[in-house]
Every structure is written in structure tokens, then in C-alpha cells.
Amino acid sequence: MTQHPAVEAFRGGPDVIRVVGHRGARGLLPENSIIGFEFALKAGAPLLEFDVILSADGVPVITHNHRLHAPTFRAPDGRYITTEPKVAEMTWAELQRYDIGSTDGTSAYGQRFPEQAQLDGIRVPRLRDLLRLIAQPDNSQAYLMLEIKSDPDFAKDQAYRAHLVETVLAELRETGTTRRALLHSFDWGLLAECRRLAPEMPTSFLTQLPSNADDVGEDSAKAISPDFTGKAEQIPEMVAQHGGALWCPYVDDVTPSNVALAKELGLIVAVWTVNDIADIDRMIALQIDAIVTDYPGRVQRRLADQGIRWLGFDDHMAVATQPA
Ligand code: MG
């Protein structure tokens, strides 16, 4: 059986470890922005991770938190917002009033990304904007790790959850990009819905052990994720039982034994969010398939220094022969 091309795009090998641009290239450019995605594509990191939430008028938009994020959203007066309304309660047009081009350096979140460019006039993109970008012939190497965000307020609302998945799938189908994306989530119930509504598409299972702290300034996934207490070494089996193609553990949760088990089960292992050099080297030593990072160039350099590729030979050739 031929594997789905999006699965193959994330598969590593003896001398290949894939590089996935987390929210584009968050360490260098505004997260979840078209300019960040374009940068990652041009920087040889054509595997893109990003987050999708539905606006009040049913538009899938690319943003991480369920509430507008005060450290990265500026109101039309140019100031960072001080209250955080819900994305799901704002229309697409209302969301366009905010500028997401910079990060408040006085916030704990902003201090995590001191090298991020500070831009003006950057807006929350729609899923459709990114799908159109990767549908362009120049971006034929791009594949998507499309994270569907699960709102805890709608955790029991089956109709809303089905509508969310159906809306995302409709946009993939309309733009002809179903073979370019993985459906990725912490909410395994949503992934089951994906498998029911799009059995032809691969699913990618995010996990984080409850013992590890959430990253500063970000929505926690723990409310909508299975409880993995005491199950650290069994998670790959659980993912395989649920029909997952990828297992995506948090960087501190990865062990030699659970990676080995995942490989035995035929899962692709893509680890997030790997930014520190020591963590990058540990992931290389573990021979995982893919490294999800805010700093694609930093990971490429570590891989290159060790003689490891991140694109297939054909992909490297395609990059080298693209017209200037
Ligand atoms: Mg994400």
C-alpha cells in the first residue's frame, strides 16, 4: 500500500531527520503568520506546524490560544491588549483589526523569544491563506502539520466538534491539499472525528505527560488530552491502537525505550518543541523522525554538522534547481 505523501514527508531514516517549522519559525518571525511560513519555506524547512481555531463566523483561522494573546496582539491604537476576548466570539473581520507582528518584551512570553523580528501590519491568517500558499507550484515540497485546537468550553459539544473538523476538511478539499497535510491534535476524540470524516487522511497524536509543566504564556492542552499519568511508556501503544500515523511527544517526555517502542509499532516520531542545542543533540542521538522547532536553521546546522540530511535527495535537488 502506498503511504500517504504527508506521512512520508515526515518520515526520517538512517541519515535523515526532518525539520518542522513550529508556528512557522517562531524564534525569528511572528508565530502563525504568513511571513513566518514563507520564511520557513524559503529557509529549507517546508514542513510547517500551525494551529487552527474557528472564528465566530466559522472561518478557520491560524492562531494558538483560544483567547487573543495579550503579549502578541496589538489593538488599532498600537498598544498590546490588556483583556483577552475569545477567538471563537470574534468574527474574521474583527480579528483583522489586531496586529500580531511583534511581541511584548516586558511579558514573560515575549522574553522567551528575544530574537523575534518586530514587525507592523501582520494579521492573523486564515487556514485558506496558507493552503493557497502551499498550493503554488514553487511550494510543492511543503507539507502541513495542521493542529486542530480543541476548546475546553466545547469539549462536550459533539455538533460543534464535528462542525470544526468538517470545516477544516472542506477547506483542504476545496484547495486540493488533502494529500499535503496531517491532522494533528492533543484531543484524541477530535482525531477520532477526523478519522471518521476523512479516513483517507493521516492523524498525528500530540502528547504531554502531566508531570511536565506547560510553557509560559500558552494554553494548556491538559484539559482536553487523555490523562497519561503512569503511562509514559505505554503511550506509543495507545497511539497505534487509535490508528495514528505519527506520535508527537513533548521533548521532556521522550526516552530511548518509548522511541524504540514507537518505531517497532511503525509510528513516526515527531518531537516538540526542540529549541535548545542539548535537546537537539539528544533527539539526533535518539534517531527520531522529525524535530519540531522554533529555530529551523539552528536544527539544520546541528544536523549538517553530523552529516544528517533533513530533506530527501530529490528535495535538495529541487531547492537547488529552483529558478532565482
Ligand atoms: Mg501547535
Side-chain angles (χ1 to χ4, degrees):
M1 194 181 83
T2 309
Q3 274 282 16
H4 193 287
V7 174
E8 295 313 307
F10 286 83
R11 188 187 300 281
D15 58 352
V16 177
I17 295 179
R18 307 293 182 172
V19 178
V20 184
H22 186 240
R23 307 187 202 173
R26 175 170 61 166
L28 303 174
L29 283 161
E31 66 185 77
N32 282 326
S33 67
I34 290 295
I35 193 170
F37 298 130
E38 288 175 333
F39 171 83
L41 291 171
K42 287 193 163 55
L47 308 181
L48 304 176
E49 189 275 353
F50 59 95
D51 310 284
V52 171
I53 295 176
L54 280 189
S55 68
D57 50 344
V59 178
V61 298
I62 301 181
T63 193
H64 184 271
N65 285 8
H66 290 290
R67 293 181 172 277
L68 271 60
H69 191 212
T72 56
F73 277 68
R74 281 174 292 157
D77 65 6
R79 297 182 184 188
Y80 290 101
I81 58 174
T82 51
T83 59
E84 297 185 321
K86 283 196 73 171
V87 174
E89 292 170 2
M90 304 189 78
T91 64
W92 163 244
E94 285 168 339
L95 282 169
Q96 292 305 287
R97 296 172 58 234
Y98 296 89
D99 192 330
I100 60 157
S102 66
T103 301
D104 180 359
T106 66
S107 68
Y109 185 79
Q111 286 166 16
R112 290 175 54 200
F113 303 103
E115 297 159 48
Q116 194 189 85
Q118 303 293 286
L119 306 177
D120 290 322
I122 308 297
R123 308 295 168 188
V124 172
R126 296 171 297 188
L127 172 61
R128 178 170 308 212
D129 300 324
L130 177 57
L131 298 181
R132 286 178 180 156
L133 178 67
I134 69 145
Q136 293 172 9
D138 279 359
N139 295 325
S140 61
Q141 300 173 85
Y143 288 90
L144 305 178
M145 186 174 253
L146 189 169
E147 182 175 351
I148 305 179
K149 286 295 181 191
S150 173
D151 187 336
D153 293 348
F154 295 106
K156 302 241 177 335
D157 187 338
Q158 253 336 101
Y160 182 86
R161 291 159 63 84
H163 172 64
L164 167 61
V165 173
E166 282 165 357
T167 306
V168 168
L169 290 171
E171 298 222 336
L172 288 163
R173 287 169 176 152
E174 280 167 25
T175 52
T177 51
T178 54
R179 291 178 66 75
R180 307 283 295 283
L182 307 166
L183 301 171
H184 179 70
S185 190
F186 281 102
D187 184 328
W188 291 22
L190 269 186
L191 290 171
E193 195 66 17
C194 291
R195 294 184 60 72
R196 185 175 75 82
L197 293 167
E200 74 282 12
M201 287 198 66
T203 46
S204 173
F205 285 62
L206 277 159
T207 65
Q208 182 176 15
L209 294 178
S211 50
N212 282 321
D214 293 315
D215 291 328
V216 171
E218 308 195 32
D219 278 354
S220 172
K222 288 170 184 167
I224 47 81
S225 175
D227 181 0
F228 300 113
T229 305
K231 296 180 183 163
E233 296 299 313
Q234 295 151 41
I235 293 173
E237 271 164 0
M238 296 164 70
V239 173
Q241 282 161 7
H242 283 77
L246 274 77
W247 173 43
C248 301
Y250 180 61
V251 60
D252 290 346
D253 299 348
V254 176
T255 65
S257 57
N258 60 29
V259 170
L261 174 59
K263 288 185 175 188
E264 263 175 53
L265 292 164
L267 298 172
I268 288 175
V269 181
V271 177
W272 60 280
T273 302
V274 187
N275 292 337
D276 297 339
I277 296 287
D279 283 331
I280 295 168
D281 287 347
R282 189 164 59 90
M283 294 306 113
I284 293 172
L286 285 169
Q287 295 186 297
I288 63 167
D289 291 276
I291 293 174
V292 183
T293 182
D294 293 315
Y295 298 91
R298 187 183 294 173
V299 176
Q300 287 170 348
R301 177 57 193 268
R302 266 342 248 190
L303 294 172
D305 285 354
Q306 300 186 45
I308 298 167
R309 291 176 292 123
W310 51 96
L311 301 171
F313 278 125
D314 291 350
D315 302 326
H316 279 290
M317 289 299 289
V319 169
T321 56
Q322 264 177 22

